[in-house]
Amino acid sequence: MNPELARAESLIASIADYPQPGILFRDIAPLLADAGALRATTEALVAPFAGSFDVVAGIEARGFILAGAAAIAAGVGFAPIRKAGKLPRPAAAVDYALEYGTATVEMHDDLPSGTRILLIDDVLATGGTLAAGREIVESLGYVVAGISVLFEIEGLGGRDVIGDLHTVFRSA
């Protein structure tokens, strides 16, 4: 790992028992506030997929931040995947389980069929959120060109659910 990425990783704070007891929350706010760390991680998120995608899609909420930065860095557009009830005209919705509850995501169908999408989120834990993201992208006729996450929590089965993906940082 290069020194910029190592420094970026050191900025991720671990918060015990948030949002409920037993959950170890990875707070990326300190990383996002540091221009060098944000630049290094954004570049690392998209590098393996350079030239293979037309749009970056991010999953609400922290995935939006990373995906927006990645879209700008790659010179492509951004498509939001939002929590239920946040879009004025959702074209598709997918329900999924999280490690501490359930949720629904929605997405518009503003892109041409066959658009190649790089799907980005902040953390891979059990894989439910990214699986829902992949499902909604594909249900709308788009192609998942790749999946990239900032931080993978190993041992929670997320990689088993998602399969091949790129992670910048990993933790047990």
Side-chain angles (χ1 to χ4, degrees):
M1 181 180 306
N2 72 45
E4 281 186 346
L5 283 177
R7 193 177 71 70
E9 184 176 29
S10 75
L11 296 173
I12 299 172
S14 296
I15 311 298
D17 298 323
Y18 182 84
Q20 68 183 38
I23 302 294
L24 182 61
F25 184 80
R26 307 303 175 149
D27 184 6
I28 65 169
L31 182 153
L32 296 173
D34 184 287
L38 180 58
R39 182 176 30 264
T41 54
T42 298
E43 290 169 356
L45 283 165
V46 300
F49 306 101
S52 69
F53 58 95
D54 308 306
V55 172
V56 176
I59 302 173
E60 186 172 3
R62 297 182 309 168
F64 274 12
I65 300 164
L66 296 168
I72 292 168
V76 300
F78 167 75
I81 299 174
R82 304 265 345 239
K83 294 176 182 173
K86 301 290 185 177
L87 291 175
R89 51 183 177 78
V94 172
D95 298 325
Y96 66 99
L98 314 143
E99 60 271 26
Y100 50 84
T102 60
T104 302
V105 291
E106 298 176 335
M107 188 174 181
H108 286 159
D109 60 354
D110 299 325
L111 305 170
S113 181
T115 297
R116 301 170 304 161
I117 293 181
L118 174 59
L119 184 59
I120 291 181
D121 204 3
D122 61 331
V123 175
L124 172 65
T126 62
T129 304
L130 279 168
R134 179 177 54 208
E135 182 179 340
I136 202 164
V137 164
E138 291 173 344
S139 76
L140 290 170
Y142 310 137
V143 175
V144 176
I147 298 174
S148 192
V149 297
L150 179 65
F151 195 89
E152 178 180 356
I153 302 171
E154 294 179 329
L156 295 181
R159 188 169 285 267
D160 295 335
V161 171
I162 300 303
D164 189 34
L165 76 148
H166 171 66
T167 63
V168 178
F169 306 121
R170 288 187 177 91
S171 175

